[in-house]
């Protein structure tokens, strides 16, 4: 399956996803869902089960965004940590957070069983183990907070069972789960279509309008009229700047190491390092498993050493799991970190009636996406949901540490504008290897210069159209990434993911732009929302 979100691919993408036709006329539906990842398809599936006529639109194939790049840990061991969540939201809200993730795993299991989806879903144990230099108190505090949050049967163990090299204290979370995310999405889509739902891929939404009815207008000029629209793109492209000041985009790196089958027990693993590492197993063949290991996160567009990050992951996998097989997969993904550790799911905080958003996966996209499906279904159906206030996109960031994090993350964004006055990364195009990109100074501004594999030079404005930060080349994913709010663009400047809703502007520069590199491509805006 081709990837729409970067140059690398994950093992999930190796299998070809079922194709759907693009939308070629105007249609009417009860609900239009924009985005066919786990959030969009779960929402569509659950709404259809309660009798809503649903249309799903996606610019790419199903699961071709971040769902195809997850490691698919299904867990109520929350990445933010129960101690932190309790500090940020209080004990009652933390209980609701734990309950919602537990319910999401149960919901996925129920759908898998009901629809007979063959996606390697399995229940297994999870272990949060101490990183080097961390004290056992850290785990004791986390255990106390998890117990107060109502997480069932958590306990401390003196070492991780069955892993010789992990003779360190750990916290055991029973009844976690894992699956093959794209096979699961295929099952959801199949069930949706079987029961009358409509899915259109290769259909980019250019505009979302709230109102009665709402309208989703595609790039090719067709309109879906609907009572409600759910924007289930990973990053909200319709939340204005307000929501993006409460979210930070991070890149996370993943490797797959081939190991003899059974040499590491099948379980979910995390350590307590900052940023933390995460691991799981996936069956590769009768004789081998993949040990999938991730971590080494950094703010999107703010690191150049992506290759070294893979090397550090490999060293960690070998040290912590004794994995001595070859690294057969390398990929990266994008994580949206909400400033207070919980996703934003619910009514669009802008004045866009009947438009809903879901974003801020906080590293737990599979459960947050499923929570979004359950919560948005209830909101649309006018049914009370106990998680509505917890995940409300319009909630205020009130507690001390969240306010400090909010200030720190936004100061970081403000600093990115200093790149306007910095020197370019190269001064001659010959310094850019074919198949790569770099920033060059041109007059008072910066240009994003891409040399294609044949050596032709293509030039674009380096200014991100969202809020005018300067983008940066990502050598691993061969994309231009924005360091402010995480918009990403392909080598030719087309939007991969928002919040930007327009491409990097092509520019022609005498003596630099090759004739073969002249701007050629039509505008491909992402979705945006306007109130009626
Ligand atoms: Fe906001 Fe680029 S994503 S300025």
């Amino acid at each position: 399956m081709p990837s729409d979100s970067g140059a690398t691919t994950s093992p999930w993408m190796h299998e070809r996803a079922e194709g759907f036709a693009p939308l070629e006329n105007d249609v009417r539906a009860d609900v239009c869902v924009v985005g066919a990842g786990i959030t969009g398809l779960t929402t569509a599936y659950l709404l259809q089960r309660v009798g809503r006529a649903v249309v799903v639109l996606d610019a790419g194939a199903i699961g071709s965004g971040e769902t195809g790049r997850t490691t698919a840990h299904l867990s109520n061991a929350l990445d933010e940590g129960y101690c932190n969540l309790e500090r940020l939201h209080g004990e009652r809200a933390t209980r609701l957070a734990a309950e919602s993730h537990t319910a999401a795993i149960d919901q996925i299991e129920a759908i898998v069983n009901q629809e007979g989806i063959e996606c390697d879903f399995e229940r297994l144990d999870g272990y949060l183990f101490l990183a080097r230099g961390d004290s056992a108190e850290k785990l004791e505090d986390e255990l106390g907070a998890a117990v107060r949050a109502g997480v069932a049967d958590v306990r401390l163990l003196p070492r991780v069972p069955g892993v010789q090299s992990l003779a360190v204290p750990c916290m055991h979370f029973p009844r976690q789960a894992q699956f093959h995310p794209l096979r699961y999405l295929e099952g959801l889509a199949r069930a949706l279509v079987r029961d009358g739902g409509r899915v259109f891929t290769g259909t980019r939404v250019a505009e979302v309008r709230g109102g009665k009815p709402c309208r989703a207008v595609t790039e090719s000029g067709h309109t879906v009229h609907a009572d409600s629209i759910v924007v289930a793109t990973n990053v909200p492209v319709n939340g204005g700047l307000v929501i993006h000041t409460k979210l930070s985009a991070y890149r996370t790196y993943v490797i797959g190491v081939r190991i003899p089958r059974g040499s590491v027990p099948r379980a979910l693993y995390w350590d307590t390092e900052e940023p933390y590492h995460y691991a799981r197993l996936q069956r590769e063949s009768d004789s081998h498993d993949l040990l999938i290991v991730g971590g080494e996160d950094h703010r999107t567009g703010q690191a150049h050493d992506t290759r070294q990050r893979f090397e550090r992951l490999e060293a960690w996998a070998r040290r912590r799991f004794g994995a001595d097989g070859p690294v057969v997969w390398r990929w990266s993904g994008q994580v949206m970190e909400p400033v207070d550790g919980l996703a934003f799911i619910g009514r669009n905080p802008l004045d866009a009636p009947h438009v809903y958003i879901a974003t801020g996966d906080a590293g737990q996209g599979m459960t947050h996406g499923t929570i979004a499906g359950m919560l948005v279904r209830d909101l649309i159906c006018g049914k009370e949901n106990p998680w509505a206030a917890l995940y409300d996109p319009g909630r205020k960031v009130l507690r001390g540490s969240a306010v400090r994090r909010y200030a720190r993350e936004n100061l970081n964004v403000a600093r990115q504008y200093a790149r306007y006055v910095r020197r370019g990364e190269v001064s001659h195009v010959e310094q850019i290897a074919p198949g790569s990109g770099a920033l060059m100074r041109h007059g008072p501004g910066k240009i994003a210069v891409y040399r294609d594999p044949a050596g032709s030079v293509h030039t674009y404005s380096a200014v991100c159209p969202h809020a005018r930060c300067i983008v940066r080349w990502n050598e691993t994913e061969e994309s231009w990434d924005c360091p402010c709010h995480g918009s990403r663009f392909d080598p030719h400047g087309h939007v991969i993911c928002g919040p930007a809703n327009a491409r990097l502007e092509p520019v022609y520069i005498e003596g630099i732009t090759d004739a073969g590199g002249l701007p050629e491509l039509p505008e491909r805006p992402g979705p945006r929302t306007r109130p009626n």
Side-chain angles (χ1 to χ4, degrees):
M1 180 174 123
S3 169
D4 296 326
S5 48
T8 64
T9 53
S10 71
W12 328 122
M13 297 176 188
H14 214 47
E15 295 170 28
R16 189 145 201 91
E18 193 175 332
F20 294 91
L23 181 67
E24 286 179 340
N25 50 340
D26 294 354
V27 295
R28 175 83 179 82
D30 294 334
V31 183
C32 174
V33 177
V34 183
I38 190 159
T39 304
L41 286 176
T42 306
T43 306
Y45 173 85
L46 293 177
L47 279 164
Q48 184 164 273
R49 301 287 301 171
V50 292
R52 297 296 196 275
V54 182
V55 164
V56 179
L57 309 174
D58 197 296
I62 65 169
S64 59
E66 293 307 318
T67 304
R69 295 179 170 274
T70 176
T71 55
H73 286 57
L74 306 178
S75 177
N76 61 6
L78 303 187
D79 289 17
E80 182 66 24
Y82 282 102
C83 282
N84 268 349
L85 283 176
E86 203 176 87
R87 267 195 296 271
L88 290 166
H89 298 277
E91 208 173 303
R92 187 181 161 274
T94 305
R95 282 186 80 87
L96 288 173
E99 173 194 291
S100 64
H101 285 268
T102 306
I105 304 171
D106 293 345
Q107 176 71 81
I108 291 169
E109 185 173 36
I111 293 173
V112 166
N113 291 334
Q114 178 155 350
E115 300 297 344
I117 301 173
E118 290 180 11
C119 60
D120 302 334
F121 178 93
E122 68 179 295
R123 289 279 185 173
L124 30 65
D125 293 313
Y127 300 101
L128 171 67
F129 60 87
L130 271 190
R132 282 195 300 195
D134 276 348
S135 89
E137 243 177 52
K138 195 167 183 178
L139 284 182
E140 285 158 16
D141 291 348
E142 188 62 12
L143 178 73
V147 168
R148 287 191 292 280
V151 183
D153 302 325
V154 277
R155 61 188 175 142
L156 294 183
L157 296 175
R159 57 174 300 149
V160 179
V163 187
Q164 229 179 11
S165 46
L166 283 178
V168 290
C170 69
M171 192 168 153
H172 172 220
F173 290 82
R175 286 187 61 73
Q176 310 299 292
Q178 65 177 28
F179 66 176
H180 185 304
L182 293 191
R183 285 188 199 153
Y184 177 67
L185 288 199
E186 291 241 26
L188 279 180
R190 250 195 322 272
L192 190 65
V193 171
R194 177 199 65 207
D195 294 338
R198 290 166 287 175
V199 179
F200 300 96
T201 55
T203 302
R204 185 176 289 271
V205 172
E207 189 171 347
V208 173
R209 284 176 182 246
K212 248 177 178 297
C214 302
R215 288 189 289 271
V217 184
T218 70
E219 193 179 70
S220 54
H222 301 299
T223 302
V224 179
H225 300 268
D227 297 335
S228 309
I229 293 182
V230 183
V231 180
T233 49
N234 180 49
V235 187
V237 280
N238 61 327
L241 252 184
V242 178
I243 196 102
H244 299 295
T245 62
K246 299 195 283 185
L247 280 170
S248 304
Y250 283 78
R251 299 301 298 170
T252 188
Y253 295 81
V254 189
I255 59 170
V257 187
R258 182 172 293 142
I259 59 171
R261 208 131 198 252
S263 58
V264 174
R266 300 172 79 70
L268 306 185
Y269 302 94
W270 311 265
D271 70 6
T272 55
E273 210 169 314
E274 300 265 355
Y276 69 97
H277 297 89
Y278 47 96
R280 61 165 278 190
L281 282 296
Q282 174 70 15
R283 182 193 171 105
E284 193 193 35
S285 67
D286 286 345
S287 56
H288 288 91
D289 283 332
L290 277 180
L291 173 65
I292 294 174
V293 166
E296 290 290 335
D297 302 11
H298 65 78
R299 282 287 297 256
T300 297
Q302 296 190 21
H304 257 328
D305 59 341
T306 57
R307 281 193 196 139
Q308 289 89 322
R309 286 171 194 266
F310 286 122
E311 286 165 14
R312 289 199 289 270
L313 279 183
E314 183 180 340
W316 186 88
R318 303 211 185 288
R319 187 174 73 247
R320 306 272 37 186
F321 288 95
D324 56 6
V327 176
V328 289
W329 292 96
R330 287 182 184 83
W331 76 95
S332 68
Q334 184 126 312
V335 174
M336 298 306 296
E337 289 289 357
V339 73
D340 61 2
L342 293 172
F344 296 107
I345 302 165
R347 291 187 179 84
N348 187 355
L350 288 182
D351 182 21
H354 309 293
V355 175
Y356 300 81
I357 63 169
T359 186
D361 56 87
Q364 296 196 271
M366 299 300 99
T367 43
H368 265 138
T370 306
I371 292 166
M374 295 187 277
L375 175 49
V376 172
R377 171 200 57 195
D378 289 351
L379 292 174
I380 286 177
C381 294
K383 195 173 148 203
E384 266 195 35
N385 185 301
W387 313 325
L390 187 71
Y391 293 113
D392 181 1
R395 69 179 180 266
K396 299 269 184 292
V397 174
L398 293 174
R399 302 241 178 178
S401 53
V403 171
R404 280 194 295 280
R405 199 192 293 179
Y406 178 88
R408 193 173 60 240
E409 295 288 4
N410 283 290
L411 187 63
N412 176 301
V413 169
R415 280 201 203 102
Q416 302 313 313
Y417 289 95
R419 287 189 190 187
Y420 272 93
V421 294
R422 287 195 200 137
R423 284 184 311 183
E425 293 164 330
V426 296
S427 43
H428 302 288
V429 289
E430 294 74 28
Q431 294 170 273
I432 305 172
S436 188
L439 296 180
M440 278 179 73
R441 181 156 279 287
H442 178 66
K446 292 267 178 64
I447 50 171
V449 183
Y450 173 62
R451 261 185 103 184
D452 68 26
S456 287
V457 177
H458 308 255
T459 46
Y460 305 94
S461 164
V463 177
C464 171
H466 176 237
R468 308 195 64 74
C469 278
I470 300 292
V471 297
R472 196 164 187 182
W473 180 250
N474 174 340
E475 66 173 9
T476 292
E477 298 299 349
E478 297 173 18
S479 60
W480 298 104
D481 295 357
C482 180
C484 284
H485 312 105
S487 291
R488 298 181 57 237
F489 306 85
D490 76 9
H492 293 287
H494 300 118
V495 176
I496 293 174
C497 67
N501 64 4
R503 61 170 298 172
L504 299 179
E505 199 181 317
V507 289
Y508 177 77
I509 295 166
E510 186 87 43
I512 293 182
T513 314
D514 276 333
L518 282 172
E520 67 322 327
L521 301 158
E523 186 72 8
R524 283 175 49 183
R528 59 183 186 272
T529 301
R530 278 195 210 147
N532 253 359

